[in-house]
Amino acid sequence: MSTTSIPEILWQPSEEFIQNSNLKHYLNWLETRHGFSFDSYEAAWQWSVDYPADFWKSLWEYFEIKSYTPFNTVISGDQMPDMQWFEGSTLNYAEHIFRKATADHPAIIFRSERHEISEMSWESLTTKVASMKAYLASIGVRSGDRVVAYLPNIPEASIAFLAACSLGAIWSSCSPDFGSNSVIDRFSQIEPKVLFAVDGYQYGGKVFSKVEVVNELIDNLPTLERVVYLPYLDEHASTDQISKGILWDDAIAVKGGELTFESVPFGHPIWVLYSSGTTGIPKAITHSHGGVLLEHLKYVAFHNDVKPGERFFWFSTTGWMMWNFVQASLLGGATIVLYDGSPGFPDMNVLWDFAEKAKITHFGTSAPFIVACMKKDMKPGTDFDLSAMRSIGSTGSPLPPDAFAYVYEHIKNDLWLCSMAGGTDVCTAWVGGCPFEPVYLGEIQCRCLGASLHAYDENGQPIINAVGEMVINKPMPSMPIYFWNDEKMKRYTSSYFEMYEGQWRHGDWVKVTDRGTLIIYGRSDATLNRGGVRIGTAEIYRAINKIDEIADSLIVNIDLEGGRDYMPLFVVLGEGKTLNDDLLLKVKKTLRTECSPRHVPDEVIEIKEVPYTISGKKLEAPVKKILMGVDVEIAAKKDSMKNPGALEFFIEFGKGLDQ
């Protein structure tokens, strides 16, 4: 019996839902093939982390991984991060995607602020990828070369990735809302041979030319040999605007013939992703073909329950790992659904309208988007036909309990809410959905199969029903193979393994309940420590989200001399609202009631906007550094920000603080 209060159950899977799930099919197969039988999901999870070699080998067999050579051992090495997986095997991630090609449903559905809904068949996708692959090969791109993209979330980005991947080339991308310095900081580390780029993009009804930025990239990436230039903003754009250029249409006109795939070792790099880059040079996080192939097959099939022909959408840009994860849904035979533009233009209904018209099955978004819909009292379930939708995913930041309730009250009451958390580091989620379990208010359903995740106390011991450091104490194949140009893996080791030798410390606060559910409390490096009590920032935001007068907020805690601290709460007010005594009292009462007296800030300060990274994360740690006197150029990377002007307030405010 649980030793903590059990929150409300918002959704319970039917027996039919459970029996028809991919997870149930796998467990039945596991019992028939290997004699393993489990009476609960938790028992299956425990087996998967106690016997990792058996578990990951079972996935190899279950998903019928196509390898051109046999593997010697499943896993070898003494401890993380020095682990090797499926040594001896050779395969290709893209080949496993095209094993699902079919005439029964489209491969891609696309819409943007500039384009109505369109579909691309698997036949068309195959032909275009084969042609682009042939072009890349014709200019000397080989396995191991780097191919990078400065493209929006459009079908051409998927085509370019799959073409590069089929060759064994290493992919990396940034969205065109990144500034030139941020892109150069990323791409220059990996010395690319080819760049895919657009002339511009549209967001929120406004057009943004990127011709100048593309030329800056060309000038600052000396290894570039060719630029495949896509006229996206201006159909008449030409290569006269740039050097080393060929138009997309001319490149893809090369006859590709039959699409073939270069087999590469299991640990061969597939792509390079990057840390947010808000401080310092971004970490060039490198993943492997085989590692993400197994992980993505597992998550998409078992924790999202994606089935062939279903339509999988996640609002993302090409600069966020969720873009890569969307491509992974093709592994499950799904149709990927892409949107390019603002989720708030012409109004907040645009994605719900898209969900109706595209008949989206799995709708992925972020916690801030759901909270914003809730704040506006929107009722998508009433205003749109969401009958095709059977799951909604949320990630990027913790989803507050009232947003959980909002999903079931105003989006769809029989929806499977798959809140998930993971990150760029592994290009997947550690924790997420389980088709066997109920959805509890404010809680993530489960630890994913193969993810030996625990909450550790200050003594490095696993704890239950209490907040602790998120630690993964068993290896997973989608952990990075290395950071690019990281001598002796120094940055890699310091990023994850300094606190607990041989164990991955992720940098989040988490609570694991005795029911196997989880609550994420935000980044541990942005944690508020008041009187020895650790407070996750997400606790503050969950409470503040209940105050209608406040549209957004940011909280930090600053250590001052003499053992003192100062915890200001910065708030963005709703239209027409004022920060008067009544609202101040409401803030304090809400935090005291919902959380504790320690959660009540020392001061509530009105700001015009909260600073965000381009990927939608609040800049808590950089703001804290600025308020503590760190130079803004050191504290934050403005080119990686959505709204760098938002920092000006904190620069001025920090000057008046008594350190």
Side-chain angles (χ1 to χ4, degrees), residues 400 402 538-547 590-591 594-595:
D402 49 344
E539 294 178 87
I540 302 287
Y541 301 138
R542 277 199 295 269
I544 295 299
N545 279 334
K546 297 183 178 181
I547 302 175
T590 299
L591 288 169
E594 296 287 331
C595 304

Side-chain angles (χ1 to χ4, degrees), residues 2 14 18 57 199 307 515 541 560:
S2 176
S14 66
I18 294 170
K57 183 182 178 182
D199 62 322
K307 300 179 187 299
R515 288 172 283 108
Y541 301 138
L560 304 176

